[in-house]
């Protein structure tokens, strides 16, 4: 059972710690949480192969925006970051253990599914809800590794695969496809589901080509795409970007459909490399800003406050959804906050309109993001995603 955070003694001890340490009690402060604040532990990659300052910038700006508006029922949002450092499941579990030791009100989870799954069993005892930014369905409530304390702001593998398959079939009209993928768990799961989805639509999958997440030579994967009508490219940003460069260098100009793993990788490519490419993503305020006032305001503010920093709407939205859950719950008590998150309906944010479904997933529609010439534009929306492969 989670220990409730209240009482004047706690406040005195916390104040004493702040005076003695003279650090760690600010916006990214440390120490045990307080009922006067909404304390969020953010499990992010500050070092290692997935290190990305944009994650911390997006989360920080979301907290600042909530606080500038007065907080929630007088409570201000306070963030503490916990560096994961690498890609192993144990690194994800270790970061979560450090965060839970500080008794947060909520967690925002890592983007590597195996790392998320490694610590999900800790949440029921701690009574801390997690906003999950990884993709595997196994973390959903009712699934083998899931529990009622997990929510998802990111894409679920099977829905992502359904969206990609529909884009390939309905938009590109492709008949013969090559699927390239990283060998990590999530990309492999997406590959399996994409292949099933494409075959169900009568599309031939000529071959699949795999590579490790740390690969630096993607020549074989690039050359394996020859002879296809289109390419589905799944995996981490750096190898995806390198593969596309090697495809183009070998004269392969096929249309490419990326999964969300390419979101940062497109920054590595020239406008010419990005010709005839698109990205399937549930949250892409860069592309929706001209049609969505919330996305436009976010993009205007973010590019002004964090020029050059990578935009990651999921992390920004996760903080805002936690604040909305507290507003619904009118409490920071774990079970009530969980119910408050589950009751969110029609929340209009930078990712579009979000409603918690029966599996506690917040995003359902996918955006087709055209990348031609290096400038992103909205190429359509894929709605009504229902598959569960």
């Amino acid at each position: 059972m989670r220990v409730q955070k209240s009482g004047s003694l706690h406040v005195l001890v916390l104040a004493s710690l702040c005076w003695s340490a003279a650090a760690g009690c600010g916006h990214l402060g440390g120490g045990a949480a307080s009922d006067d604040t909404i304390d969020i532990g953010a499990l992010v990659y500050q070092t290692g192969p997935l290190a990305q300052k944009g994650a911390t910038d997006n989360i920080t700006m979301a907290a600042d925006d909530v606080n500038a508006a007065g907080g929630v029922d007088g409570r201000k949002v306070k963030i503490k970051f916990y560096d994961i450092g690498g890609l192993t499941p144990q690194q994800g579990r270790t970061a979560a253990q450090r965060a839970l030791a500080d008794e947060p009100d909520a967690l925002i989870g890592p983007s590597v599914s195996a790392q998320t799954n490694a610590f999900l069993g800790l949440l029921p005892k701690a009574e801390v809800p997690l906003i999950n930014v990884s993709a595997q369905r196994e973390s959903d409530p009712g699934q083998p590794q899931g529990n009622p304390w997990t929510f998802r702001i990111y894409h679920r593998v099977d829905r992502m695969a359904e969206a990609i398959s529909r884009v390939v079939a309905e938009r590109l009209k492709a008949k013969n496809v090559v699927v390239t993928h990283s060998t990590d768990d999530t990309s492999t799961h997406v590959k399996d589901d994409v292949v099933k989805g494409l075959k169900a639509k009568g599309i031939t999958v000529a071959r699949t080509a795999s590579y490790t997440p740390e690969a630096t030579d993607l020549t074989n994967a690039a050359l394996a795409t020859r002879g296809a009508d289109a390419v589905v490219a799944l995996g981490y940003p750096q190898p995806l970007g390198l593969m596309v460069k090697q495809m183009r260098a070998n004269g392969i100009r096929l249309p490419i459909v990326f999964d969300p793993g390419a979101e940062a990788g497109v920054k590595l490519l020239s406008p010419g490399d990005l010709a005839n490419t698109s990205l399937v993503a549930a949250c892409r305020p860069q592309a929706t800003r001209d049609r969505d006032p919330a996305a436009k305001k976010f993009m205007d503010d973010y590019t002004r406050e964090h020029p050059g920093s990578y935009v990651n709407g999921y992390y920004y939205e996760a903080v805002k959804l936690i604040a909305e859950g507290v507003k619904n719950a009118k409490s920071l008590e774990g079970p009530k906050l969980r119910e408050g998150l589950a009751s969110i309906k029609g929340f209009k944010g930078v990712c579009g309109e979000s409603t918690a479904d029966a599996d506690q997933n917040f995003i359902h529609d996918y955006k087709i993001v055209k990348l031609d010439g290096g400038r992103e534009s909205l190429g359509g929306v894929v709605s009504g995603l229902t598959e569960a492969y």
Side-chain angles (χ1 to χ4, degrees), residues 229-294:
D229 298 331
V231 176
V232 173
L234 315 168
Y236 290 116
Q238 287 80 6
L240 277 174
L242 181 57
M243 186 190 72
V244 174
K245 286 183 178 181
Q246 293 179 328
M247 285 177 61
R248 300 322 194 202
N250 282 279
I252 303 170
R253 316 303 297 181
L254 296 170
I256 302 172
V257 179
F258 295 110
D259 79 334
E263 289 182 5
V266 299
K267 300 291 185 183
L268 307 174
L269 298 170
S270 69
D273 291 334
L274 289 169
N276 210 14
T277 63
S278 59
L279 173 76
V280 178
C283 184
R284 198 67 177 172
Q286 301 96 309
T288 58
R289 64 189 301 172
D290 292 337
R291 303 190 188 189
D292 183 349

Side-chain angles (χ1 to χ4, degrees), residues 14-29:
L14 180 60
S16 174
L17 288 172
C18 286
W19 278 108
S20 62
C25 295
H27 181 73
L28 308 182

Side-chain angles (χ1 to χ4, degrees), residues 5-136:
K5 307 168 300 179
S6 61
S8 58
L9 178 59
H10 172 82
V11 175
L12 288 172
V13 170
L14 180 60
S16 174
L17 288 172
C18 286
W19 278 108
S20 62
C25 295
H27 181 73
L28 308 182
S34 166
D35 273 346
D36 296 329
T37 55
I38 302 168
D39 297 277
I40 300 174
L43 312 179
V44 297
Y45 305 92
Q46 295 175 297
T47 60
L50 291 184
Q52 186 188 99
K53 185 174 180 291
T56 57
D57 287 342
N58 280 262
I59 290 170
T60 297
M61 195 175 94
D64 290 343
D65 287 350
V66 173
N67 293 340
V72 181
D73 296 332
R75 296 185 179 99
K76 297 296 182 73
V77 173
K78 181 181 177 184
I79 306 292
K80 183 171 181 180
F81 294 108
Y82 300 85
D83 182 23
I84 299 171
L87 301 175
T88 69
Q90 185 56 47
Q91 286 171 303
R93 183 179 175 88
T94 298
Q97 288 172 322
R98 294 201 312 268
L100 289 172
D102 288 337
E103 299 183 16
D105 298 304
L107 293 177
I108 298 173
S111 60
V112 175
S113 295
Q115 293 182 325
T116 304
N117 293 342
F119 68 80
L120 290 179
L122 304 176
L123 301 179
K125 182 177 180 180
E127 295 189 336
V128 174
L130 166 76
I131 301 288
N132 185 350
V133 291
S134 57
Q136 287 188 21

